[in-house]
Amino acid sequence: MLFLKLTLLAVLLPGVSNEEGFQGPTSFYLIQISSFINKSWTTNQGSGWLDDLQIHGWNSDAGTAIFLKPWSKGNFSDQEITVLVDIIRIYLVGFTQEARDFVSQFQIEYPFEVQSRAGCELRPGELPRSFLMGALGGVDFLSIQNHSFVPSPESGWRAKKFCRLVSQYQGICDTIDNLLYRVCPRFLLGVLDAGKADLQRQEKPEVWLSSGPSPGPGRLLLVCHVSGFYPKPVWVMWMRGEQEQRGTHQGDILPNADGTWYLRVTLDVATGEAAGLYCRVKHSSLGGQDIILYWGYPISIGLICLAITALILLFLIVLALRFMKRW
Ligand SMILES: *[C@@H]1O[C@H](CO)[C@@H](O)[C@H](O)[C@H]1NC(C)=O
């Protein structure tokens, strides 16, 4: 019955229209994380992503989608969105029930976790690519290749048995096929277009230096912080003159809460060798004008300026006081 419902819903959704010419993110996918804690307790988390940008959440109590951006619905009508949300709600309820029924048949023990990721990718000049991957207990379980379920070798007989089982349900397979290969690429194009202004914006990085925890006696860890930039691609290097410092260590690019990015780039040097080193940042928002910050240099110049300003101020105050006395 569930399968029939899913099929009917999916047939209502029209197929792909071909458009070209977009930049920025290239994929859209949904993530499902289901934790089966015990026989009666399951939590489902759902989210929708454009590459590494989350644009949808899922309220699992209400069974409704959360649209995190004003353009998260792309160019789909409210009716189409309702149909999709219904599919997801029915799928999650059905999935939870079926998984509980399968526990003994597949000799799985509580607690266990199911993760899946399904979506599509459109790269300029390439054919659209769709994907679905599932994992059980953190281990690859199955994927979809060439429109059919393929068990992952790591998961042995369970995955094989599951794929054989699910392949018998033509309705489910057709629904998934339609969602992955037709609905997803069309949705992705629409959402890329609707969110164009947001996705193609340029935000300049803010750069500052600090010293990290000392790597050892007589050594210094120089840290270059680069924050608030968008889009994600960035080039940051510790340099001396024209020479890139080979010991430069780049951390992971981490998300800020406002959708921009943060990166920390470090260099471990002998204390005496820090002078003359600088951190160089290239980013598309800077229009070729790299940001350059010298180690120690800006601070001493800043201090000198501050000292001079303070002296001038003092001088003026003394002058003013004298005038006032005379008057
Ligand atoms: C299942 O887990 C929940 C949350 O940990 C707990 O509150 C509940 O009592 C458990 N139920 C059973 C039947 O063990």
Side-chain angles (χ1 to χ4, degrees):
M1 191 57 200
L2 164 69
F3 307 149
L4 186 67
K5 261 192 212 159
L6 284 175
T7 317
L8 281 176
L9 284 168
V11 165
L12 295 174
L13 294 160
V16 197
S17 67
N18 282 324
E19 279 173 58
E20 272 180 294
F22 57 84
Q23 292 165 4
T26 56
S27 67
F28 174 75
Y29 54 92
L30 297 175
I31 287 184
Q32 170 203 356
I33 303 173
S34 297
S35 304
F36 295 83
I37 294 161
N38 55 37
K39 250 182 204 172
S40 49
W41 195 274
T42 307
T43 61
N44 285 313
Q45 283 173 275
S47 49
W49 300 76
L50 268 184
D51 284 3
D52 39 29
L53 175 69
Q54 189 184 353
I55 60 169
H56 302 121
W58 182 256
N59 179 339
S60 60
D61 293 331
T64 52
I66 302 161
F67 298 94
L68 298 172
K69 303 278 177 194
W71 42 266
S72 289
K73 293 181 183 177
N75 63 359
F76 275 28
S77 65
D78 284 342
Q79 194 203 343
E80 283 176 303
I81 293 290
T82 307
V83 170
L84 281 174
V85 170
D86 284 349
I87 291 182
I88 293 170
R89 184 189 313 115
I90 293 169
Y91 161 75
L92 283 175
V93 170
F95 177 84
T96 309
Q97 279 169 2
E98 301 283 332
R100 281 193 194 137
D101 293 346
F102 283 149
V103 161
S104 57
Q105 199 183 336
F106 281 81
Q107 297 171 21
I108 302 166
E109 282 182 11
Y110 291 105
F112 64 93
E113 195 150 75
V114 174
Q115 293 158 290
S116 71
R117 195 160 84 101
C120 57
E121 182 165 29
L122 293 166
R123 286 183 179 279
E126 288 177 29
L127 287 174
R129 198 177 65 84
S130 293
F131 51 87
L132 182 150
M133 288 159 282
L136 175 63
V139 178
D140 285 348
F141 191 74
L142 57 73
S143 61
I144 282 196
Q145 274 155 38
N146 275 333
H147 302 262
S148 53
F149 283 96
V150 178
S152 303
E154 298 94 313
S155 285
W157 66 270
R158 287 191 185 91
K160 273 191 204 144
K161 185 171 172 179
F162 183 85
C163 288
R164 258 204 314 276
L165 201 71
V166 78
S167 305
Q168 291 166 7
Y169 293 98
Q170 197 55 46
I172 271 207
C173 295
D174 291 348
T175 303
I176 292 173
D177 216 63
N178 184 34
L179 290 173
L180 283 182
Y181 293 92
R182 300 175 64 197
V183 178
C184 182
R186 195 168 67 86
F187 182 72
L188 174 54
L189 282 175
V191 101
L192 287 176
D193 191 50
K196 203 188 304 179
D198 209 359
L199 294 167
Q200 294 183 4
R201 75 191 192 277
Q202 294 282 336
E203 292 195 38
K204 286 185 183 162
E206 200 179 312
V207 185
W208 70 96
L209 307 179
S210 74
S211 55
S214 172
R219 300 203 66 85
L220 206 55
L221 188 70
L222 313 186
V223 186
C224 182
H225 306 261
V226 184
S227 186
F229 57 92
Y230 187 92
K232 199 175 182 181
V234 70
W235 183 94
V236 183
M237 186 59 72
W238 277 102
M239 303 188 66
R240 185 191 301 282
E242 287 302 301
Q243 204 70 41
E244 294 178 7
Q245 299 300 294
R246 291 175 62 208
T248 297
H249 174 79
Q250 180 165 332
D252 292 328
I253 300 184
L254 305 172
N256 282 323
D258 63 358
T260 62
W261 296 100
Y262 169 84
L263 172 65
R264 190 175 176 273
V265 173
T266 60
L267 182 67
D268 173 355
V269 290
T271 314
E273 287 169 12
L277 286 166
Y278 65 92
C279 175
R280 179 168 208 146
V281 179
K282 292 177 193 283
H283 187 257
S284 53
S285 64
L286 299 170
Q289 296 263 304
D290 300 354
I291 294 181
I292 290 177
L293 273 191
Y294 273 88
W295 179 256
Y297 199 60
I299 296 170
S300 47
I301 287 203
L303 277 181
I304 292 167
C305 288
L306 203 74
I308 292 174
T309 315
L311 275 177
I312 293 174
L313 222 72
L314 201 72
F315 179 73
L316 287 177
I317 289 171
V318 170
L319 219 65
L321 283 176
R322 278 202 181 167
F323 265 116
M324 273 162 79
K325 246 187 201 168
R326 270 195 207 163
W327 184 73

